[in-house]
């Protein structure tokens, strides 16, 4: 609706045109009435709300970051993947929009029903293949005659990438992505009925000097069981703090109790000059700031924690804890 809001200059111009007769108010009313009537294509039924589309966008933004890290480490070259758009449209329209020959990975996402399609532009797919085989990452469009070795390498590359898809969905649902088919011609692929609504997530991808799109097609039947979880209300509930697990708390406490810390009993402090320090000799006495009727300070990892008094146990120097440490101002109260 932001594009329908007029600026002050446009309002002034409109009022001026009405006052001078350049525009007719009755004609504007008729135009407004005509705008209220618009055609609706039932083949393009919008089955996902804007809120749910935004949630899907957040999930795949996380997936794109994970995928960037995975391919950067695996291909050892510059990789940048980011979400370009998230749209809902009929499956038939999506199939017509992708190239005649392309890289198609079809995988299941148990326990959800249906399958998801990962379509990769040949420019991107061959840049990946070239890097895996030790090349610079150049792209060659010859999808129609993939060799058996090239098919195996590509399918294995994308199969490993699906682990990141599982992690991206982890906050919503636990899925187990499994690559089931590898195709190059979308005409041989019929996942759902032509009029079925699908969500298409387009990822703008750059591999070295090659760039293209990776499209993820998710049919409505796959998302239908978890649609309530795609709302903002569910995300806000997920952010609420959970009750403490007694077993986890006990295990954490046990681990912390076994940690080693450095303890020091501070006998006293003194400030002397460098000249005095250099002139020190045997039997010289350094006067400390610690008073004899005051307790000593015990430091734990250089943090003042306790007041203690010195003593011995079985001919070993020791200190006895008197109380928790208090600052000078607190002691004077």
């Amino acid at each position: 609706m932001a594009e329908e809001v007029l600026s002050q200059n446009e309002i002034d111009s409109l009022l001026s045109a009405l006052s001078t007769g350049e525009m007719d108010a009755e004609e504007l009313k008729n135009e407004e009435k005509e705008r209220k009537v618009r055609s609706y294509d039932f083949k393009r039924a919008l089955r996902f709300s804007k809120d749910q589309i935004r949630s899907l966008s957040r999930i795949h933004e996380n997936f794109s970051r994970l995928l960037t890290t995975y391919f950067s480490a695996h291909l050892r070259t510059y990789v940048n993947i980011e979400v370009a758009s998230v749209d809902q449209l009929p499956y038939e329209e999506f199939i017509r929009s992708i190239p005649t020959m392309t890289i198609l990975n079809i995988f299941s996402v148990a326990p959800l029903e249906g399958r998801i399609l990962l379509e990769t532009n040949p420019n991107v797919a061959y840049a990946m293949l070239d890097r895996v085989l030790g090349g610079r990452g150049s792209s060659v469009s010859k999808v129609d005659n993939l060799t058996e070795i090239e098919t195996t390498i590509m399918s294995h590359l994308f199969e490993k990438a699906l682990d990141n898809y599982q992690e991206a969905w982890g906050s919503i649902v636990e899925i187990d992505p499994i690559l089931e088919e590898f195709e190059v011609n979308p005409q041989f692929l019929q996942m759902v009925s032509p009029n079925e609504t699908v969500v298409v997530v387009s990822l703008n991808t750059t591999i070295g000097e090659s760039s293209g799109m990776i499209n993820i097609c998710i049919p409505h039947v796959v998302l239908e069981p978890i649609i309530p979880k795609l709302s903002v209300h569910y995300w806000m509930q997920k952010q609420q703090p959970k009750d403490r697990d007694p077993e986890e708390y006990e295990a954490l406490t046990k681990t912390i109790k076994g940690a080693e810390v450095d303890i020091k009993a501070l006998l006293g402090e003194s400030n002397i000059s460098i000249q005095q320090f250099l002139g020190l000799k045997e039997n010289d006495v350094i006067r400390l700031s610690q008073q004899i009727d005051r307790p000593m300070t015990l430091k734990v990892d250089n943090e003042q924690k306790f007041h203690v008094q010195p003593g011995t146990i079985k001919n070993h120097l020791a200190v006895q804890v008197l109380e928790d440490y208090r600052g000078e101002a607190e002691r004077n109260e």
Side-chain angles (χ1 to χ4, degrees):
M1 297 295 293
E3 64 274 13
E4 299 181 9
V5 178
L6 300 178
S7 66
Q8 187 60 46
N9 290 335
E10 291 172 331
I11 294 174
D12 293 341
S13 300
L14 181 60
L15 294 175
S16 176
L18 288 173
S19 60
T20 57
E22 294 180 12
M23 297 182 65
D24 189 354
E26 292 298 325
E27 291 182 1
L28 291 176
K29 290 180 180 179
N30 293 333
E31 289 180 6
E32 185 66 24
K33 291 180 180 179
E34 292 176 0
R35 288 174 187 167
K36 291 181 180 179
V37 180
R38 58 180 181 178
S39 59
Y40 182 81
D41 186 359
F42 286 93
K43 292 183 179 180
R44 292 182 60 98
L46 303 180
R47 307 183 69 174
F48 298 94
S49 67
K50 292 182 179 180
D51 187 26
Q52 293 161 355
I53 292 295
R54 281 193 292 267
S55 296
L56 290 171
S57 179
R58 283 194 294 267
I59 292 170
H60 287 86
E61 283 172 1
N62 186 26
F63 175 58
S64 65
R65 288 190 291 268
L66 295 171
L67 210 57
T68 298
T69 303
Y70 165 74
F71 282 130
S72 297
H74 201 77
L75 304 177
R76 298 181 181 275
T77 188
Y78 171 76
V79 176
N80 184 47
I81 303 174
E82 55 187 16
V83 176
S85 63
V86 181
D87 301 302
Q88 51 179 321
L89 61 155
Y91 175 73
E92 182 182 20
E93 186 174 327
F94 165 70
I95 290 297
R96 289 201 307 264
S97 67
I98 60 179
T100 306
M101 290 295 176
T102 184
I103 304 299
L104 302 170
N105 300 276
I106 304 95
F107 57 96
S108 61
V109 284
L112 301 179
E113 298 180 0
R115 299 183 298 174
I116 293 178
L117 172 63
L118 181 72
E119 185 266 330
T120 307
N121 187 278
N123 289 336
V124 175
Y126 266 97
M128 293 178 180
L129 179 64
D130 190 52
R131 284 297 302 169
V132 171
L133 298 177
R136 292 185 175 181
S138 58
S139 178
V140 181
S141 295
K142 61 182 188 69
V143 182
D144 53 335
N145 56 351
L146 284 175
T147 67
E148 185 176 347
I149 294 177
E150 290 172 337
T151 301
T152 302
I153 292 175
M154 281 191 181
S155 59
H156 180 73
L157 190 65
F158 286 106
E159 187 175 14
K160 292 293 184 183
L162 292 181
D163 293 338
N164 298 291
Y165 202 62
Q166 180 182 27
E167 184 177 347
W169 276 94
S171 60
I172 299 295
V173 62
E174 292 293 334
I175 59 174
D176 183 20
I178 299 177
L179 184 64
E180 294 188 346
E181 295 182 38
F182 182 88
E183 287 285 347
V184 296
N185 191 340
Q187 302 304 320
F188 298 147
L189 184 65
Q190 188 62 42
M191 292 172 49
V192 292
S193 63
N195 293 331
E196 174 74 13
T197 301
V198 297
V199 173
V200 178
V201 182
S202 299
L203 306 179
N204 195 8
T205 307
T206 302
I207 307 290
E209 297 180 356
S210 302
S211 60
M213 301 296 293
I214 294 179
N215 294 308
I216 304 172
C217 175
I218 312 174
H220 177 268
V221 67
V222 176
L223 297 175
E224 189 173 12
I226 60 171
I227 282 180
K229 295 183 178 181
L230 297 177
S231 64
V232 173
H233 179 69
Y234 179 82
W235 282 73
M236 295 297 291
Q237 284 183 334
K238 291 287 286 183
Q239 294 177 359
Q240 296 296 326
K242 298 180 179 179
D243 293 336
R244 180 181 297 167
D245 187 346
E247 294 183 359
E248 290 184 1
Y249 179 77
E250 184 179 352
L252 182 60
T253 303
K254 184 177 180 181
T255 302
I256 293 177
K257 286 181 178 179
E260 295 185 357
V261 293
D262 184 30
I263 296 180
K264 297 178 181 178
L266 187 61
L267 184 60
E269 295 177 325
S270 180
N271 295 322
I272 62 174
S273 65
I274 295 294
Q275 184 66 33
Q276 291 172 327
F277 173 73
L278 294 175
L280 288 176
K281 55 184 180 296
E282 188 176 353
N283 294 327
D284 282 350
V285 176
I286 300 178
R287 184 176 179 179
L288 302 178
S289 59
Q290 179 71 28
Q291 298 180 17
I292 195 170
D293 58 344
R294 291 277 186 164
M296 294 167 50
T297 301
L298 185 71
K299 288 187 174 183
V300 179
D301 281 344
N302 288 325
E303 290 288 335
Q304 297 170 325
K305 292 296 183 182
F306 302 103
H307 292 299
V308 298
Q309 64 180 7
T312 58
I313 296 181
K314 296 182 180 179
N315 297 324
H316 291 284
L317 292 175
V319 292
Q320 181 183 25
V321 177
L322 301 176
E323 59 183 351
D324 291 338
Y325 175 80
R326 295 176 300 167
E328 186 68 29
E330 188 178 349
R331 287 199 305 268
N332 293 333
E333 291 181 354

